[in-house]
Amino acid sequence: MLKAKIFVELKPSVLDPQGKAVTNSLHNLGFEDVSQTRIGKYIEIVFDSSDHEAVSAEVTKICDSLLANPNTETYRFELVETKS
Amino acid sequence: MLKAKIFVELKPSVLDPQGKAVTNSLHNLGFEDVSQTRIGKYIEIVFDSSDHEAVSAEVTKICDSLLANPNTETYRFELVETKS
């Protein structure tokens, strides 16, 4: 079985209001040396397959069609062997 | 400057309805070999500091007090040098 670890992030040019809110909260909590925060998604998908090439193509399709918004987000992923 | 890459995930024992919904959607889209999906958060925080030890302690405090729910979530992080 293969596990895909997928990171979906906002493009650097896209404003991240949620990240800005976290930065402000951290300043209010006294963490003054925080200069920037960006919030993204981390998704793990387990596949009943051990074919790296096929799963890799599948994950690309999944990200393009469901997990990432191509207008505002970028994604990257890695595949690891897993037992469950 | 240091960038903290933080992963916040649901504990394995906690039900992930959002992940279940994604699994169902993927089956409907024809990705039959998907067996499980878990959705987490990926957060990047940039610090105006290069002191690994101090920033590491700070990130632990930040996760405990703001980013992760200790009842249902676990987190891990890594620190990397960054220019911006």
Side-chain angles (χ1 to χ4, degrees), chain B residues 5-77:
Chain B
K5 299 181 171 194
I6 304 166
F7 304 81
V8 179
E9 291 168 275
L10 285 173
K11 289 181 184 169
S13 57
V14 176
L15 195 72
D16 180 359
Q18 198 186 357
K20 188 78 189 132
V22 170
T23 302
N24 289 345
S25 296
L26 291 175
H27 288 168
N28 291 340
L29 288 169
F31 300 104
E32 297 291 347
D33 57 351
V34 169
S35 70
Q36 206 202 359
T37 310
R38 305 282 289 179
I39 314 276
K41 284 176 283 188
Y42 173 63
I43 301 150
E44 287 186 350
I45 303 181
V46 179
F47 290 86
D48 287 330
S49 165
S50 295
D51 181 341
H52 268 73
E53 209 167 314
V55 169
S56 182
E58 210 165 339
V59 174
T60 302
K61 267 192 225 162
I62 287 173
C63 288
D64 286 336
S65 62
L66 191 73
L67 299 180
N69 175 347
N71 295 319
T72 58
E73 293 172 324
T74 59
Y75 63 85
R76 59 196 159 84
F77 64 88

